[in-house]
């Protein structure tokens, strides 16, 4: 049964804005590792070259997507659809098993918010310093730090916008035009648009995007169940909470929570996880790191806040039991559909050829009788070649006894990464024993050197 995630009032930090405190710990380390990995990919990939061209380039003008050694054309739309379906199913599967892993560690909103908060802490200090300064007078120090922060934010946002557009326009050309001041209006607009979106989302809106704008946050509760891992506060162990000196053990009847509110202070969405699972919790585990640090200081066992499941058994306490509960209907269904989609995608990728053919019969000239009594139909053969080397092609027609192409139409050459349109005259001899009507025929295009590369294009031959 889907789990209902309660909606608890937004900001438990008590301020209109969230002033998240920095945190160190095992999960923070993982989060930064993922920030480094994803951003190294994002900022670095467009600068890589592959066979003399940009390794990853979505060339919308030429309608070709280059990804390392692969080139995808509009005819590969089905593969793109399958890839998107695989991504969606993977997200569903991981969410059903481990909650909001994507939101907490890899979502661009989380990643850029982390980077922008890092800049904020370097320029304005940690939570306490920022709060004190923002509640104080607007003096020269306040303005200088704000200007530095927003200046650095805008620079990072501009670089992000430039990189993003560099996936669609060759980035070295884009950089050259930018330096020379000859950037096209369209590229300028999209760099500015994406830069402002980054600056606004990661700098200003931040947790509001997750709480109020992201549709995934709203419907993921459907994928949760009692065995989904979420960040949970151990109420039985923590309550009744109460402040006490670090060295003092909890008295009889007192819970382990010392009510230090560190878990609230580090929360990037400003919630108090001790109120239970909330839709605003992005599963970043910052509160786990903060609470573990506090438990170390008061000499208590870690894990007062931890990854756990509603069914009451935490992963840490009973990993085998949790693993056994992976075999549940919801997870198996997602895994089965994902497996089928992956198999289809793998088959599609392994059997796809770089050459695509599309044939159209000339409808203006239905059927023509030649001087020798033969019958001729006219066709346009559109070839799309996504490979890295030119191809010498052999073209033949089949499907009717005696049907042929003129000798000079039996061969063609197409360049690398090129399109070509050929006019073909399919002919039937005068003595062919074929009745009037429409007959299916097939054009077979083969690569002259590699007989393995062969594609068929179906059409019809009309005899009046
Ligand atoms: S409650 Fe904890 S896991 Fe959830 S968003 Fe806040 S800090 Fe992150
Ligand atoms: S960090 Fe731990 S001890 Fe401190 S208030 Fe939160 S749950 Fe209680």
């Amino acid at each position: 049964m889907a789990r209902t995630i309660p909606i608890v009032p937004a900001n438990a930090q008590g301020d209109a804005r969230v002033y998240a405190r920095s945190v160190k710990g095992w999960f923070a380390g993982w989060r930064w590792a993922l920030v480094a990995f994803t951003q190294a990919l994002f900022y670095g990939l467009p600068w890589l070259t592959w066979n003399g061209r940009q390794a990853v380039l979505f060339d919308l003008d030429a309608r070709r997507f280059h990804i390392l050694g692969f080139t995808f054309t509009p005819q590969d739309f089905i593969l793109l659809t399958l890839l998107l379906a695989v991504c969606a199913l993977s997200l569903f599967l991981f969410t059903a098993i481990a909650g909001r892993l994507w939101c907490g560690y890899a979502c661009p909103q989380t990643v850029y918010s982390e980077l922008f908060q890092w800049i904020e802490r370097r320029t304005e200090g940690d939570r306490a310093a920022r709060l004190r300064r923002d509640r104080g007078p607007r003096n020269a120090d306040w303005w200088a730090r704000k200007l530095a922060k927003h200046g650095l934010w805008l620079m990072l946002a501009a670089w992000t916008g430039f990189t993003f557009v560099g996936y669609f326009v060759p980035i070295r050309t884009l950089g050259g035009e930018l330096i020379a001041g000859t950037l096209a209006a369209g590229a300028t607009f999209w760099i500015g648009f994406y830069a402002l979106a980054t600056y606004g989302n990661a700098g200003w809106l931040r947790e509001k995007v997750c709480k109020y704008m992201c549709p995934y946050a709203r419907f993921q509760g459907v994928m949760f169940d009692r065995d989904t891992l979420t960040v949970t506060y151990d109420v039985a162990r923590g309550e009744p909470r109460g402040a006490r000196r670090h060295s003092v053990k909890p008295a009889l009847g007192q819970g382990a929570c010392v009510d230090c509110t560190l878990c609230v202070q580090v929360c990037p969405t400003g919630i108090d996880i001790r109120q239970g699972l909330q839709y605003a919790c992005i599963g970043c585990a910052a509160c786990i790191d903060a609470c573990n640090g506090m438990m170390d200081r008061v000499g208590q066992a870690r894990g007062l806040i931890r990854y756990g499941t509603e069914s009451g058994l935490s992963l840490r306490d009973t990993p085998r039991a949790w693993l056994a509960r992976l075999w549940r209907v919801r997870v198996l269904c997602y895994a089965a559909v994902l497996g089928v989609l992956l198999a289809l995608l793998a088959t599609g990728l392994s059997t796809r050829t770089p050459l695509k053919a599309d044939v159209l019969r000339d409808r203006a000239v239905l059927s023509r009788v030649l001087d020798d009594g033969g019958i001729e139909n006219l066709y346009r053969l559109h070839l799309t070649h996504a490979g890295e080397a030119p191809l010498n092609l052999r073209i033949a027609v089949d499907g009717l006894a005696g049907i042929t192409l003129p000798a000079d139409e039996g061969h063609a050459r197409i360049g690398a990464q090129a399109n070509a349109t050929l006019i073909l005259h399919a002919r039937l001899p005068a003595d062919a024993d074929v009745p009037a009507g429409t007959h299916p025929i097939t054009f077979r295009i083969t690569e002259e050197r590699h007989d393995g590369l062969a594609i068929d294009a179906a059409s019809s031959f009309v005899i009046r």
Side-chain angles (χ1 to χ4, degrees):
M1 201 175 73
R3 193 167 161 189
T4 306
I5 301 174
I7 295 177
V8 170
N11 190 353
Q13 291 184 2
D15 290 279
R17 285 181 53 199
V18 172
Y19 288 80
R21 181 180 175 136
S22 65
V23 64
K24 287 193 173 71
W26 200 78
F27 294 105
W30 271 107
R31 218 170 30 257
W32 273 108
L34 272 159
V35 168
F37 175 70
T38 53
Q39 295 319 289
L41 272 186
F42 174 72
Y43 292 109
L45 265 184
W47 295 98
L48 284 184
T49 51
W50 188 280
N51 280 346
R53 61 160 167 72
Q54 190 166 315
V56 180
L57 179 65
F58 305 116
D59 189 342
L60 296 179
D61 285 343
R63 300 201 292 169
R64 286 168 188 270
F65 289 0
H66 305 284
I67 302 173
L68 304 181
F70 295 99
T71 297
F72 297 94
T73 59
Q75 286 93 332
D76 294 314
F77 178 76
I78 184 70
L79 291 179
L80 189 65
T81 310
L82 276 173
L83 184 65
L84 291 176
V86 164
C87 292
L89 254 294
S90 304
L91 194 60
F92 293 174
L93 178 65
F94 289 122
T95 303
I97 293 172
R100 296 181 72 171
L101 277 188
W102 163 258
C103 303
Y105 295 89
C107 172
Q109 179 63 22
T110 303
V111 167
Y112 286 105
S113 293
E114 283 280 350
L115 288 172
F116 274 55
Q117 284 179 88
W118 182 85
I119 291 173
E120 191 169 61
R121 283 195 284 274
R122 295 278 111 28
T123 50
E124 293 193 63
D126 207 352
R127 172 185 154 84
R130 293 203 307 276
L131 268 171
R132 193 173 53 247
R133 200 172 293 107
D134 280 357
R135 286 171 184 166
R138 303 285 193 262
N139 54 22
D141 178 57
W142 188 91
W143 280 108
R145 287 173 186 274
K146 291 285 176 197
L147 278 175
K149 178 179 85 172
H150 287 282
L152 289 170
W153 277 3
L154 282 168
M155 282 165 65
L156 177 59
W159 187 249
T160 306
F162 170 76
T163 303
F164 182 75
V165 176
Y167 278 91
F168 298 89
V169 178
I171 199 162
R172 286 180 170 79
T173 309
L174 198 67
E177 289 174 356
L178 187 67
I179 291 166
T182 55
L183 208 55
T188 309
F189 171 81
W190 285 113
I191 290 174
F193 178 84
Y194 198 73
L196 280 180
T198 307
Y199 173 71
N201 286 340
W204 289 92
L205 294 175
R206 223 173 268 175
E207 79 286 351
K208 294 175 189 68
V209 175
C210 309
K211 281 181 177 175
Y212 309 118
M213 294 162 70
C214 176
Y216 179 57
R218 298 285 166 160
F219 72 75
Q220 66 185 311
V222 177
M223 291 161 236
F224 279 38
D225 60 23
R226 290 173 55 79
D227 293 310
T228 299
L229 271 187
T230 53
V231 175
T232 47
Y233 168 68
D234 190 338
V235 179
R237 193 185 140 198
E239 302 295 328
R241 69 186 77 159
R244 61 179 179 276
R245 278 206 311 232
H246 288 178
S247 53
V248 178
K249 299 281 179 221
L252 201 60
Q254 194 177 8
C257 174
V258 296
D259 205 17
C260 63
T261 72
L262 276 181
C263 52
V264 182
Q265 292 177 39
V266 299
C267 179
T269 63
I271 60 170
D272 185 346
I273 195 66
R274 294 173 301 171
Q275 295 178 21
L277 180 64
Q278 297 150 62
Y279 83 98
C281 173
I282 58 169
C284 68
C287 53
I288 299 182
D289 281 333
C291 191
N292 280 343
M294 179 50 68
M295 290 297 104
D296 289 347
R297 266 174 268 158
V298 297
Q300 294 277 314
R302 290 178 158 212
L304 178 57
I305 302 176
R306 60 181 182 266
Y307 276 109
T309 64
E310 198 182 326
S311 56
L313 298 170
S314 73
L315 171 61
R316 205 185 60 159
D317 293 338
T318 57
R320 289 184 69 175
W322 181 78
L323 282 173
R325 287 199 304 281
L326 285 182
W327 297 96
R328 56 191 198 268
V329 174
R330 178 185 301 262
V331 173
L332 292 178
C333 286
Y334 286 145
V337 179
L338 181 61
V340 170
L341 289 175
L342 277 171
L344 287 174
L345 184 61
T347 309
L349 281 173
S350 60
T351 56
R352 77 187 273 277
T353 59
L355 187 67
K356 305 275 188 317
D358 205 8
V359 71
L360 283 176
R361 192 164 49 76
D362 191 332
R363 293 179 188 281
V365 189
L366 260 189
S367 168
R368 190 158 60 196
V369 180
L370 302 172
D371 293 343
D372 62 3
I375 299 169
E376 180 183 89
N377 278 197
L378 218 58
Y379 301 86
R380 278 175 194 277
L381 178 66
H382 297 283
L383 296 171
T384 307
H385 179 35
E388 303 285 350
L391 293 177
N392 292 317
L393 303 172
R394 194 182 304 127
I395 302 167
V397 63
D398 197 9
L400 283 176
I403 193 166
T404 54
L405 289 174
D408 60 336
E409 292 179 5
H411 299 271
R413 181 179 169 82
I414 186 165
Q417 304 278 322
N419 299 326
T421 300
L422 308 175
I423 305 294
L424 301 177
H425 302 78
R427 287 172 185 167
L428 206 57
D431 58 355
D433 185 20
V434 181
T438 302
H439 305 274
I441 58 168
T442 304
F443 290 91
R444 167 149 279 226
I445 301 107
T446 48
E447 213 270 304
E448 285 188 349
R449 283 177 306 149
H450 308 105
D451 281 343
L453 179 54
I455 51 172
D456 290 341
S459 188
S460 56
F461 191 90
V462 175
I463 303 172
R464 286 190 298 179

